Amino acid sequence: MKLEGIHHISAITENGQRNVDFYVGTMGLRLVKKTVNQDAPTVYHLFFADEGGSPGSDLTFFEYPGASPGRAGAGMVHRIVWRVGSIEAIEFWATRLGELGLDTRADEGGLVFTDPEGLDHELRVSDTDDPPLTARHPEIPEKFALQGFEGVRAYSAVPDASERILESLEFERQEDAGRWEARGEGRGGWIAYDKPPEQRGVQGAGSVHHVAWASRLDEIDAWRERAAASSAQPTPIIDRFYFAAVYFREPSGVLFEISTLGPGFTVDEPLESLGEKLSLPPDFEHLRSQVEPNLRPIVNPRLSWEE
């Protein structure tokens, strides 16, 4: 039993339209689901991924209008690491982001930058055989497109405290790289821990809320039992309609989720039109008349390209 790398990463934004403009318009991801936060259904939950809405490429945001800027600290993911296919892709992105006014810097072969709300990203050339998870964009050649998640970097004052639970979840320590990898038959992803800044972390716009790891549908009960046996306090299994999920904090403080590979985003809308309308799971459909008029309109730049 192995986790299949990262399933998704969820963060917070203050402005959904600016968020869509950046992740679709600039970074070339596809908006694959426009729905609501199931724990707070008055706010958006936006999902960006590859063409198929695949786990392993799925970056999500809760929109909280008026949210103050966040700041990563101990117990929080502070950087999202993406795969690209070549050094030429790194050069492409350095040029593209620079022309669009974003500051970038080289970091041990990778390219580091922040989104408009201060969330750190890094692009690295992939050295795995995992299938690339890419989306279409008229200005981004497919060979240079983002290919899904490589890993995440988190702050921890006591990273060794996480060893027991990571081992119980079948993560493997990569001593030479200073990280822990979860690798299944189809995909892998990792988490690395860095020394935290002195300032306390603040959850807000531009901060990561949680990182989710991918489980086969029939194994999530067993993963929950393993987390509980390692002294975590996992939630019950929660039906999120597009996947099932279990949440718990690992000892370094990072909020983990284990999510199932399916049913997936096409369960309630066709692949060809993913993300074009507000999708509400059946348990929330009765709230549409109350919720939809209060959500700020979002224009997807992809629709104008396709027209």
Side-chain angles (χ1 to χ4, degrees), residues 68 73 85 93 126-127 129 140 171 173 177 190 207 211 213 241 251 258 264 272 281 299 302 306:
S68 300
W93 282 104
S126 174
D127 60 358
D129 294 326
I140 303 173
F171 282 72
R173 187 195 289 268
W190 49 259
S207 68
V211 56
W213 305 92
F241 187 57
I258 296 178
E272 295 75 18
V299 177
R302 181 182 172 112
E306 292 178 344

Side-chain angles (χ1 to χ4, degrees), residues 185-240:
E185 293 181 3
R187 200 163 188 85
W190 49 259
I191 183 168
Y193 294 101
D194 299 312
K195 182 179 178 180
E198 293 183 1
Q199 289 183 308
R200 181 178 61 86
V202 176
Q203 194 83 83
S207 68
V208 171
H209 186 266
H210 64 265
V211 56
W213 305 92
S215 163
R216 296 185 182 279
L217 192 61
D218 60 350
E219 293 176 349
I220 191 167
D221 290 279
W223 288 120
R224 183 185 182 279
E225 290 175 6
R226 286 201 185 187
S230 298
S231 301
Q233 296 181 330
T235 65
I237 296 173
I238 301 173
D239 182 2
R240 295 300 193 192

Side-chain angles (χ1 to χ4, degrees), residues 9-12 76-78 80 119 203-204 206-211:
I9 300 166
S10 290
I12 295 171
M76 297 173 69
V77 170
H78 69 87
I80 298 170
L119 177 57
Q203 194 83 83
S207 68
V208 171
H209 186 266
H210 64 265
V211 56

Side-chain angles (χ1 to χ4, degrees), residues 41-42 285-295:
T42 59
E285 185 59 46
H286 69 285
L287 299 174
R288 183 177 291 273
S289 62
Q290 304 168 45
V291 169
E292 194 164 19
N294 294 315
L295 295 172

Side-chain angles (χ1 to χ4, degrees), residues 160-282:
D160 289 345
S162 300
E163 180 175 351
R164 179 185 175 192
I165 193 167
L166 292 173
E167 288 182 341
S168 73
L169 297 175
E170 299 295 335
F171 282 72
E172 294 186 4
R173 187 195 289 268
Q174 298 178 324
E175 293 281 2
D176 57 335
R179 63 198 188 199
W180 292 84
E181 183 182 40
R183 173 158 293 281
E185 293 181 3
R187 200 163 188 85
W190 49 259
I191 183 168
Y193 294 101
D194 299 312
K195 182 179 178 180
E198 293 183 1
Q199 289 183 308
R200 181 178 61 86
V202 176
Q203 194 83 83
S207 68
V208 171
H209 186 266
H210 64 265
V211 56
W213 305 92
S215 163
R216 296 185 182 279
L217 192 61
D218 60 350
E219 293 176 349
I220 191 167
D221 290 279
W223 288 120
R224 183 185 182 279
E225 290 175 6
R226 286 201 185 187
S230 298
S231 301
Q233 296 181 330
T235 65
I237 296 173
I238 301 173
D239 182 2
R240 295 300 193 192
F241 187 57
Y242 307 112
F243 48 83
V246 169
Y247 303 82
F248 54 91
R249 289 198 183 274
E250 53 90 22
S252 286
V254 180
L255 182 58
F256 274 15
E257 176 182 341
I258 296 178
S259 300
T260 58
L261 294 167
F265 294 130
T266 57
V267 70
D268 62 351
E269 56 182 338
L271 178 64
E272 295 75 18
S273 57
L274 286 178
E276 294 182 9
K277 65 179 181 66
L278 179 68
S279 295
L280 297 180

Side-chain angles (χ1 to χ4, degrees), residues 84 86-95 109-111 123-125 144:
V84 293
S86 65
I87 292 296
E88 290 74 23
I90 295 283
E91 295 169 350
F92 168 86
W93 282 104
T95 299
L111 185 73
L123 309 183
R124 300 198 70 85
V125 178
F144 296 150

